[in-house]
Amino acid sequence: MPRDIGRRFALVLSAGLTVVAALTLLILGAPPGAEAQRKKVVSIAAKEPDTLDPHSSTIGQSQAISRFLYRGLTRFAIKDGKVTTAEVEPDLAESWTISPDGTLWTFKLRRGVQFHKGFGELTAEDVKFSFERQIRRAPGTRFGVNLEVIKAIEVVDPYTVQITLKAFDPVFPLRMAGYQQGYIVSKKAVEKHGEQFKWNPIGTGPFYFDRHSPREKVVLKAFDHFRGGRPQIDEVHWFDVPEDATKLIGLEKGTFDLVYPEAVTADFEAQVQKMGAVMDRRGPGSQERFYINMTKPPFDDIRVRRAFMHAIDRKAIKETMYPGRLGRLAVSPVPAGYFGHVPVELPEYNPDLARKLLAEAGYPNGFTVKNYFVSKSFFFPKVATLAQEQLRKVGIVVELQIVEHATYHEHIRKNLNPFVLYGGTRLPDADPWLSLFFHSSEIPDPATGNKGSNFAHYRGIDDLLAQGRQERDPKKRAAIYHEAQRRIVRDAVCLPISEVPGEWARNPRRVSTPFDPEYGEDSLHFSYNYPELLKLLY
């Protein structure tokens, strides 16, 4: 929305714990600023990103805004007017060839692709640097596990890069897509800014970073030299608005054009429809689940882990959070729509059996989990509270402590929670999903600085993941991942709850998208695949 509301934000001290940006009803109805009237400005209400380094955050809002700034060698394909995450097409690479054994990939880069702010032309050195910083686990990077298949990277010439794999990898083109580990950053910019690259981002995307006002907004501007042509939108103002209620008021008043909600409830959707806005739904969606740390007493006893699972009424949580079509009940540790997914038999809700298992494990009166940290954002507090009440009925008392979302991510990687509530989306294939959440190399360890996401501390499918990466027959490969899912359930280390599509609210009178709002896009970015295709209508 063409409104400069930044200076109208007020900082409010909330419960003595955090300072947040808030809008009053008067402000939400205020007239647009003169500067904004001269420009095509889209205003987005979301949460503040914790970094703008695309390789360094698993938080949804950070991954969402990264798509405005960066691109990869490949991109998710547009087919028959829809975006699919099952196939890729050229992006920063104009073409590639593969050796007969599938281990040598030669990428030819497009000539003339420019980085933001005068950092020069994209070259093979930038590609090599972007991947190697993650492979060697540069401080703060999170997605190196997705690139462990790489044996060597060679710069043949400024526009040619050869990547040698340790073995054939059937999902390698997906790994090269502009998402998480696939984003290409400017080598010169990272070397210049060091740790501060996170707030001095340089990519090749349709928008470049202009400024960041903490707890207020991030401003992006259209990149004149974007490979796909300058976006029609001049500026993107990404406002830090923690509360969904405030976002909805702003959407109705015309202050915000797009809203990235914390959680889409039936009431949220009803309010969006009532004001004449639309929900843009994108698959394959995010899975919400619990991981149980099998090394942390008393959960090192499988009977306790099974008791936990039987105490959780997954259907009740799903229907409370996402009634009807707002979500689906998860049926496997790998989400539906991912290659290798198979429905498995998950533990049924049975509180009597939960109590029996606890007694057998030596806890006839249950036990208490103290200082259990929960993010204040998105679905976390609501799901945690529902689970807390269900667990209490079998004698497991969980004392919740609500913290900021970034703090939550820090704490769970310090192994402070014996079981971890988590959500998210990854490349739609069982290998990267299972590798990130269940491979032993991803066990978080503050002593070594490993900030992985194997919160169950599980080591039971490393062999299957290795087999899956070598198997070239799709049916046999899928069977390997089916067995991996069955082992995870057998060992009681993960309890999937719900699967929820990615959803934003949009004012269709202000902003248009070329894709159908009802699953016209599959997206992994928590955002629009191609924000450069958004158009301001007035």
Side-chain angles (χ1 to χ4, degrees), residues 226-251:
F226 175 56
R227 185 189 71 77
R230 187 189 190 279
Q232 184 250 17
I233 295 167
D234 295 317
E235 295 186 6
V236 174
H237 291 193
W238 184 286
F239 287 97
D240 180 29
V241 186
E243 300 299 329
D244 280 352
T246 308
K247 294 171 187 173
L248 284 172
I249 295 171
L251 184 66

Side-chain angles (χ1 to χ4, degrees), residues 478-495:
I480 291 170
Y481 298 132
H482 294 170
E483 174 59 23
Q485 290 159 82
R486 286 189 283 268
R487 282 192 195 177
I488 290 167
V489 173
R490 177 199 68 191
D491 295 334
V493 294
C494 175
L495 184 66

Side-chain angles (χ1 to χ4, degrees), residues 38-292:
R38 295 193 298 267
K39 300 175 182 177
K40 293 184 175 68
V41 179
V42 166
S43 295
I44 299 174
K47 290 289 290 293
E48 183 177 58
D50 65 335
T51 177
L52 296 179
D53 182 339
H55 303 148
S56 297
S57 181
T58 59
I59 295 177
Q61 63 265 27
S62 299
Q63 295 190 46
I65 201 170
S66 288
R67 189 61 188 162
F68 290 72
L69 299 165
Y70 301 96
R71 286 296 185 266
L73 295 181
T74 69
R75 70 179 199 174
F76 297 120
I78 301 175
K79 298 189 65 175
D80 302 321
K82 298 182 66 174
V83 181
T84 174
T85 51
E87 297 182 38
V88 298
E89 58 191 21
D91 198 353
L92 297 182
E94 64 179 9
S95 64
W96 56 86
T97 57
I98 313 166
S99 63
D101 66 355
T103 61
L104 180 63
W105 293 68
T106 302
F107 291 90
K108 292 288 186 180
L109 303 183
R110 297 184 191 274
R111 294 172 181 260
V113 175
Q114 297 296 314
F115 281 110
H116 304 153
K117 298 186 177 181
F119 273 87
E121 186 180 11
L122 167 76
T123 71
E125 288 288 352
D126 298 295
V127 175
K128 176 181 172 71
F129 174 82
S130 295
F131 296 148
E132 288 187 344
R133 76 187 292 242
Q134 299 179 78
I135 293 170
R136 69 173 183 266
R137 300 299 203 275
T141 58
R142 296 287 179 85
F143 307 114
V145 65
N146 281 339
L147 299 172
E148 286 183 346
V149 297
I150 294 176
K151 179 179 180 181
I153 304 174
E154 180 184 354
V155 173
V156 179
D157 61 50
Y159 304 105
T160 308
V161 61
Q162 283 190 335
I163 301 178
T164 303
L165 307 185
K166 298 173 183 175
F168 168 73
D169 176 30
V171 299
F172 191 66
L174 287 177
R175 299 185 197 277
M176 297 294 97
Y179 170 69
Q180 293 186 341
Q181 76 286 332
Y183 284 126
I184 304 302
V185 299
S186 165
K187 178 182 179 182
K188 293 178 183 177
V190 175
E191 290 179 342
K192 176 181 178 179
H193 295 296
E195 185 182 347
Q196 291 309 308
F197 178 77
K198 64 183 179 181
W199 291 115
N200 294 276
I202 299 295
T204 61
F207 297 90
Y208 69 90
F209 172 76
D210 180 62
R211 64 187 184 276
H212 171 222
S213 301
R215 288 305 192 191
E216 184 184 342
K217 66 179 177 180
V218 174
V219 175
L220 312 178
K221 291 187 176 181
F223 183 36
D224 290 337
H225 303 293
F226 175 56
R227 185 189 71 77
R230 187 189 190 279
Q232 184 250 17
I233 295 167
D234 295 317
E235 295 186 6
V236 174
H237 291 193
W238 184 286
F239 287 97
D240 180 29
V241 186
E243 300 299 329
D244 280 352
T246 308
K247 294 171 187 173
L248 284 172
I249 295 171
L251 184 66
E252 184 174 22
K253 295 290 185 181
T255 303
F256 303 131
D257 307 308
L258 300 170
V259 165
Y260 178 3
E262 296 280 288
V264 177
T265 63
D267 179 65
F268 185 98
E269 183 181 44
Q271 291 189 58
V272 168
Q273 292 176 345
K274 183 178 179 181
M275 69 179 69
V278 298
M279 296 298 303
D280 288 326
R281 302 185 204 276
R282 297 178 289 271
S286 171
Q287 188 187 81
E288 299 170 5
R289 64 268 184 203
F290 282 105
Y291 295 106
I292 306 178

